[in-house]
Amino acid sequence: MQGLLASLLAGVVTGVGGFMIFLKKKYSQENINCMLNAAAGVMLAASFFALLVPSMHKIATFDPDIHVAAFWFCGAVFAGVALVWLLNDLLPHEHNNMGLHFTLKKAWLFIIAITLHKLPEGLAVGVAYSAEDFMNPDSLVIGIAVHNIPEGLTIAISLVAAKCSKLKAAFTALLIGMVQPIGAVIGLLTMGLSDKIVPLGMAMAGGTLLFVVVNEILPETYGTKETEKSAFAVFMGFIFMTYISMVME
């Protein structure tokens, strides 16, 4: 129940980001890039410190031969990457491509791309709450929630650019955020099958978050000449989430 409520709260924050469309008359591409890059740094730290590192230590106890244990860990991470990669290839979607000018069709294809992120993020929350015995899942939830704010705002901006009303755009962002509890339920149900599945699931969930950052978020924001600002935002997000992870350990 805690895992489900946490994923629900993180999903609602996507709606909070969507309603930020009312705070300014117009958001520049630089504004969006800065927020998304900071979110990428937050997600990188969350995936490493809340999922990958704890699962690595736990999986290392699976077999006396560290080479075998390392194979299990790397295989689980790769499986998470491959899963989201496959979903990306199978489901039609489109990236922002550094523009704020959308047709309604392009806006929805872009929203589908963001929706694809929500399922593995919810899965990561469910897996994390299944592993409360050897990690604190709260820092991961905070990281995902912080990351959801610019994503919700980006959803709203894309729809407004496609001539939708601000209110409809904001509520759409909130609705997209509700995909996360679905992923959390899947994670919570599957992780209860075996003690060994939990750390493997954590490594897999970490892999899915890595794919989201490396393949989906960063390529959207590094297409401009402002690479120093982008890098600074990533580092600040990473440092912020590292601090949160250490404090809440």
Side-chain angles (χ1 to χ4, degrees):
M1 184 58 69
Q2 287 181 336
L4 180 60
L5 291 175
S7 65
L8 182 62
L9 178 61
V12 167
V13 175
T14 307
V16 173
F19 277 92
M20 285 175 62
I21 192 73
F22 290 99
L23 296 182
K24 289 183 67 173
K25 185 176 182 180
K26 184 179 180 180
Y27 285 88
S28 68
Q29 188 66 60
E30 185 178 350
N31 296 152
I32 299 300
N33 286 351
C34 183
M35 287 187 285
L36 286 175
N37 279 313
V42 166
M43 287 287 280
L44 277 176
S47 62
F48 275 103
F49 299 127
L51 291 170
L52 294 175
V53 173
S55 66
M56 180 187 295
H57 291 316
K58 192 69 175 178
I59 292 172
T61 66
F62 282 7
D63 195 286
D65 187 343
I66 191 62
H67 298 91
V68 174
F71 175 82
W72 278 106
F73 173 76
C74 293
V77 174
F78 178 78
V81 172
L83 175 63
V84 188
W85 206 323
L86 181 63
L87 287 174
N88 260 25
D89 286 342
L90 292 178
L91 296 178
H93 65 283
E94 186 167 326
H95 294 277
N96 188 348
N97 293 323
M98 306 311 299
L100 292 176
H101 304 289
F102 288 84
T103 63
L104 189 58
K105 179 181 178 181
K106 181 178 178 182
W108 276 107
L109 287 173
F110 173 59
I111 289 169
I112 290 173
I114 293 181
T115 305
L116 288 176
H117 304 173
K118 299 302 176 190
L119 196 61
E121 290 167 8
L123 178 67
V125 173
V127 169
Y129 272 88
S130 298
E132 283 186 287
D133 291 343
F134 56 94
M135 66 161 288
N136 184 351
D138 295 340
S139 60
L140 177 67
V141 175
I142 291 174
I144 290 177
V146 170
H147 154 267
N148 282 346
I149 294 173
E151 281 200 343
L153 178 59
T154 305
I155 290 171
I157 288 173
S158 67
L159 286 173
V160 170
K163 309 303 181 184
C164 289
S165 70
K166 287 187 176 182
L167 188 61
K168 181 179 179 181
F171 273 111
T172 300
L174 177 61
L175 184 63
I176 296 302
M178 293 303 99
V179 174
Q180 282 188 335
I182 298 174
V185 170
I186 296 172
L188 288 164
L189 292 177
T190 54
M191 290 304 104
L193 300 176
S194 167
D195 290 340
K196 288 190 175 182
I197 288 181
V198 173
L200 289 172
M202 290 172 64
M204 186 175 176
T208 65
L209 295 188
L210 286 179
F211 180 88
V212 168
V213 173
V214 174
N215 190 70
E216 301 294 325
I217 302 177
L218 292 180
E220 292 291 333
T221 57
Y222 265 75
T224 66
K225 296 179 181 180
E226 303 290 338
T227 54
E228 289 187 358
K229 290 182 180 179
S230 296
F232 180 78
V234 173
F235 291 141
M236 288 299 98
F238 187 90
I239 291 169
F240 166 78
M241 195 61 227
T242 301
Y243 177 84
I244 295 296
S245 297
M246 289 187 68
V247 169
M248 301 189 69
E249 190 63 36

